[in-house]
Amino acid sequence: MFLNDQETATDLLYYEAISRTVVRFIRETPLVPVTIGVHGDWGAGKSSVLKMTESAFQGQDRELCLWFNGWTFEGFEDAKTVLIETLIDELRRARPTSKKVAEAAKKLLKRVDWLKLARKSGGLALTAMTGIPSLDQLSGVVDMVAAFVKKPQEHISIDDLKTFAGQAQEYVKEPSEEVDRIPEHVHAFRKEFEELLDAAELDRLVVIVDDLDRCLPHTAIATLEAIRLFLMVDRTAFVIGADELMIEYAVKEHFPDLPPSSGPVGYARNYLEKLIQVPFRVPALGLAETRVYITLLLAELALSKGDAGFQKLLEAARKDMQRPWQSRGIDTAMLQEAVGPVVPDKVREAQTISAVLSKILTEGTHGNPRQIKRFLNSMMLRRAIAEERGFGEEIKLPVLGKIMLAERFYPDFYKQLAQLATAEGGKPASLAQFERALRPFPATAAPSKTDAKAETATKKVSIKLDEPEALPQDVLDWMKVEWIKGWAAIDPSLSDVDLRPYVFVTRDKRGALGGVAASAHLESLVDRLMGKKMAARSCVAEVSKLSPQELDEVFTSVSDQAMQVEDLASEPHGIQGLMVLSEHTPEMGRRLLEFAKSLNLAKVGLWPANMVANIKHPVLMDEAKGLLSGWAEQTENSNLKNAVKLVLKLAKKD
């Protein structure tokens, strides 16, 4: 069983509070036109909020809510008229027996036909007034000529010549009086649209526009302009779900010649704020909310559909999430109160998995619900594979989840762990020593007085065994990394677990969440970061605007591509890009350090020395210097050794 990735009908995140706020705002401003933006990153839950908003208006006689998905009409040439025609048709369907609505709709559709003609005759950019053909018009003539000359000469008829002449004449004729009065038609359209609302006897028309950030820039801008130019009349409200950064990107792409802004806010942001008056942002999940969310997702999956116990659990969780800063999560008492004193094993397992995953998954996904859900789906898919192969009983989800955290968020450490597990019969000695060093004593009840001396002796032995000089090098390296220490401290302990079945089901190279930049604007950025130094440096400003999630995605994509070359003697394409990314946040600097540690020193040239020396974040300086010092002592690569010594010498002078 797997989790549905579509917008949910069950509100597990208490986003109903956001949708209720949107509905309340619309109803408290019933007369004036308004545009509301529901913003959030990919997978933040915008569509779910919009669905809840739509539900709130269902069944209201004088309030009509219509849904428009911009992505559905991506391939249409004129997004403006597609949106307008869709809304008129939906209004007519909503009042099927009204003659007034039918007549008003028919009148408006004629106006839309004129808009199409105006576009063909010169477009809404008013090129028809100048008498100069637009690029679209010239393109149309070229297409006609190309189609005409493709015919063999002996097959050209008089009718063909007449047809071509008539079509060409349409493009060179004088602009009609109708086209000269485009502003008048815009005002007339708005007036007739209001008349349609009157005929439909509506106090409020609410139009929800979803998936606008998935559209190409031209479609996104055309949709927004149609709303602003033609449809923003009294009693209308538009609720637009989109990532505002993607819309800003669309503005820049659609208007590439915009001058640099002279004020604190760029033109792209000003344009967006002019179109969308009231922004709501779907917040990222915090630690407490992630913990509740994971438990609810897995508990809902474990219980039968419509289970009364789950509904009680959901109500209790919503009450708990009203004040997330005071949340105690879904504890055993809450589970027993909801589903009964005997909690089903899978529901209890959901609580355990949530405790294992919540902290690192919250930080690693930046509280993104879709990424959390995808992680859980990947985890359950892997257990399903194990079950089909006959070793499902050997896979415990809490253990699998913990290992997948390392695979997803610290792949170099995961690879090292997998290699040790394969080489040492599934139970790496280094991992056991590492866990003992972090938590030398098991969590037990307080010792009795008679055991005090024995416990003291045990403590002394443990401390002696776990002194740094007694630990192997890989454990000492792990001790320097806070992320790995935090990961190892999470229950369950893995010291006595045979990791080979888990390595087998997680052996795919990239994991379920992948490492390729999927968004168009990220693909373009990755391409430039893969260039030489000047190209990479030109991306500094753009990198500074990326969200933490986007930074992770871009770094993974660039580093994966950089390491696909066979010859590492010279600097691979992408290293300069990684250096640019590493300068932005300590997290990116940390990733560059781990990238450097994963290099095969025997195969590289001199470039790693400069790459690591570029790490300037104060919290990473000592670790970077320590890595360079280690390279200065290694014997695998004498050229790198000499280069590093020179770098360290120059650093001392500075």
Side-chain angles (χ1 to χ4, degrees):
M1 295 191 297
F2 304 101
L3 301 165
N4 189 342
D5 197 32
Q6 300 301 313
E7 55 271 8
T8 180
T10 307
D11 182 17
L12 303 183
L13 294 166
Y14 202 49
Y15 280 174
E16 186 184 350
I18 300 174
S19 69
R20 285 204 306 260
T21 306
V22 172
V23 172
R24 179 181 172 185
F25 182 86
I26 291 171
R27 285 178 171 160
E28 289 182 355
T29 55
L31 298 178
V32 296
V34 64
T35 49
I36 298 170
V38 177
H39 301 314
D41 297 332
W42 170 87
K46 300 185 295 295
S47 294
S48 294
V49 172
L50 296 181
K51 284 291 183 185
M52 295 173 203
T53 303
E54 181 188 34
S55 297
F57 289 103
Q58 297 301 315
Q60 302 297 316
D61 187 48
R62 298 188 64 87
E63 293 176 331
L64 179 62
C65 185
L66 305 178
W67 188 281
F68 180 83
N69 188 307
W71 198 28
T72 304
F73 301 97
E74 176 62 65
F76 285 73
E77 184 181 3
D78 188 0
K80 285 188 178 78
T81 56
V82 167
L83 171 60
I84 294 168
E85 284 181 320
T86 300
L87 296 186
I88 294 171
D89 287 339
E90 290 294 328
L91 272 165
R92 188 165 52 182
R93 275 193 284 270
R95 299 288 191 267
T97 61
S98 173
K99 291 183 179 180
K100 287 183 179 180
V101 169
E103 290 173 2
K106 185 177 179 181
K107 186 177 179 182
L108 259 181
L109 288 172
K110 285 184 179 179
R111 187 74 63 179
V112 175
D113 289 338
W114 176 88
L115 289 172
K116 293 178 182 177
L117 177 63
R119 184 178 185 275
K120 189 175 181 182
S121 302
L124 295 178
L126 309 186
T127 55
M129 291 184 179
T130 68
I132 300 172
S134 69
L135 290 176
D136 284 346
Q137 293 170 326
L138 294 175
S139 176
V141 173
V142 171
D143 290 343
M144 284 189 293
V145 173
F148 182 72
V149 300
K150 282 181 182 177
K151 283 192 169 188
Q153 188 171 355
E154 61 269 21
H155 295 299
I156 298 175
S157 67
I158 296 297
D159 289 337
D160 289 331
L161 293 171
K162 288 181 178 179
T163 300
F164 174 76
Q167 290 175 333
Q169 180 63 30
E170 183 178 343
Y171 286 95
V172 298
K173 67 183 179 182
E174 291 296 320
S176 68
E177 183 182 350
E178 290 286 296
V179 174
D180 279 339
R181 295 188 284 109
I182 287 177
E184 292 180 27
H185 278 278
V186 173
H187 291 303
F189 182 94
R190 292 164 66 91
K191 181 180 178 182
E192 290 169 7
F193 189 63
E194 287 190 72
E195 290 173 359
L196 176 58
L197 299 184
D198 289 333
E201 298 180 347
L202 288 176
D203 292 334
R204 198 57 146 161
L205 172 66
V206 180
V207 181
I208 293 177
V209 182
D210 194 18
D211 283 341
L212 200 59
D213 48 7
R214 295 191 184 189
C215 297
L216 293 174
H218 171 76
T219 305
I221 298 304
T223 302
L224 289 171
E225 288 186 341
I227 292 171
R228 197 67 183 164
L229 288 173
F230 300 104
L231 302 172
M232 282 300 293
V233 301
D234 288 347
R235 292 173 289 161
T236 61
F238 287 82
V239 185
I240 300 169
D243 179 352
E244 67 268 48
L245 293 178
M246 285 298 295
I247 300 300
E248 286 188 45
Y249 169 76
V251 173
K252 292 174 185 176
E253 288 293 302
H254 193 67
F255 303 108
D257 297 327
L258 282 174
S261 174
S262 58
V265 181
Y267 284 112
R269 171 63 67 169
N270 281 329
Y271 183 93
L272 180 64
E273 290 179 353
K274 186 174 182 63
L275 288 170
I276 297 177
Q277 301 157 302
V278 184
F280 283 84
R281 182 161 184 88
V282 179
L285 303 185
L287 176 59
E289 293 159 310
T290 299
R291 188 163 186 168
V292 171
Y293 183 52
I294 292 173
T295 305
L296 289 175
L297 280 171
L298 297 178
E300 184 181 28
L301 204 58
L303 298 171
S304 59
K305 189 174 182 180
D307 185 87
F310 178 76
Q311 292 303 318
K312 289 181 65 177
L313 184 63
L314 179 58
E315 290 171 11
R318 285 180 175 177
K319 186 175 181 180
D320 182 71
M321 285 192 289
Q322 286 178 352
R323 292 176 174 80
W325 60 91
Q326 296 176 351
S327 173
R328 57 192 175 92
I330 298 179
D331 56 19
T332 302
M334 192 184 295
L335 284 176
Q336 290 176 331
E337 185 177 346
V339 301
V342 180
V343 179
D345 290 341
K346 287 191 175 182
V347 176
R348 192 175 293 280
E349 183 182 57
Q351 182 191 19
T352 303
I353 293 169
S354 176
V356 173
L357 300 180
S358 293
K359 186 176 188 300
I360 293 178
L361 206 51
T362 302
E363 295 170 354
T365 65
H366 310 291
N368 186 286
R370 181 170 290 164
Q371 288 202 33
I372 292 169
K373 195 179 287 187
R374 291 182 70 189
F375 185 95
L376 295 175
N377 268 336
S378 176
M379 183 177 69
M380 289 183 287
L381 175 63
R382 286 166 166 182
R383 183 168 73 170
I385 292 171
E387 289 171 348
E388 292 299 322
R389 295 186 71 102
F391 63 92
E393 291 297 321
E394 299 175 54
I395 299 294
K396 307 300 180 188
L397 281 181
V399 174
L400 177 61
K402 182 173 179 177
I403 292 172
M404 283 180 60
L405 288 173
E407 177 202 22
R408 170 67 180 95
F409 299 113
Y410 222 109
D412 295 326
F413 170 63
Y414 164 78
K415 290 175 187 175
Q416 187 179 9
L417 202 61
Q419 291 168 355
L420 290 171
T422 303
E424 299 181 27
K427 298 181 180 180
S430 296
L431 181 60
Q433 289 177 285
F434 184 45
E435 288 190 342
R436 286 199 302 272
L438 289 175
R439 34 177 163 176
F441 317 110
T444 59
S448 62
K449 291 182 179 180
T450 56
D451 293 333
K453 290 183 179 180
E455 183 184 349
T456 302
T458 303
K459 285 183 180 179
K460 289 178 180 178
V461 171
S462 298
I463 293 170
K464 186 175 182 180
L465 285 175
D466 293 331
E467 288 175 353
E469 59 268 23
L471 298 173
Q473 186 59 46
D474 50 4
V475 176
L476 293 176
D477 291 340
W478 297 342
M479 282 291 190
K480 297 174 184 176
V481 182
E482 289 301 320
W483 190 97
I484 299 177
K485 288 164 64 178
W487 173 88
I490 297 171
D491 285 326
S493 168
L494 303 182
S495 298
D496 297 322
V497 177
D498 185 349
L499 299 183
R500 288 173 296 181
Y502 299 95
V503 170
F504 181 85
V505 296
T506 59
R507 63 183 180 176
D508 53 314
K509 181 181 177 183
R510 294 194 184 191
L513 298 181
V516 286
S519 304
H521 70 302
L522 294 187
E523 288 179 355
S524 172
L525 177 60
V526 168
D527 287 342
R528 283 176 282 134
L529 289 171
M530 288 299 299
K532 294 183 179 180
K533 184 174 182 178
M534 186 174 294
R537 285 287 153 192
S538 70
C539 301
V540 170
E542 192 170 346
V543 166
S544 68
K545 297 177 182 178
L546 295 181
S547 68
Q549 175 186 331
E550 290 171 325
L551 280 169
D552 282 344
E553 191 176 352
V554 170
F555 191 100
T556 300
S557 185
V558 174
S559 60
D560 281 355
Q561 292 183 55
M563 294 309 292
Q564 287 177 5
V565 299
E566 294 183 3
D567 184 10
L568 294 175
S570 57
E571 181 180 291
H573 291 296
I575 298 302
Q576 292 296 325
L578 294 180
M579 291 164 66
V580 168
L581 291 166
S582 73
E583 295 166 5
H584 186 53
T585 65
E587 290 78 8
M588 291 296 101
R590 164 70 60 198
R591 290 203 63 178
L592 187 64
L593 265 178
E594 295 308 315
F595 175 83
K597 291 176 184 178
S598 71
L599 295 172
N600 185 337
L601 297 186
K603 295 183 178 181
V604 299
L606 307 181
W607 55 269
N610 180 57
M611 182 182 73
V612 174
N614 189 67
I615 297 174
K616 304 296 185 183
H617 291 291
V619 295
L620 300 173
M621 288 283 287
D622 289 344
E623 191 172 344
K625 185 177 179 181
L627 179 61
L628 289 172
S629 299
W631 285 355
E633 301 299 325
Q634 52 83 29
T635 57
E636 298 174 74
N637 188 327
S638 58
N639 290 332
L640 177 63
K641 179 177 181 177
N642 294 332
V644 169
K645 285 183 176 179
L646 179 60
V647 167
L648 292 173
K649 184 177 180 181
L650 292 173
K652 284 183 179 179
K653 289 183 179 180
D654 293 339

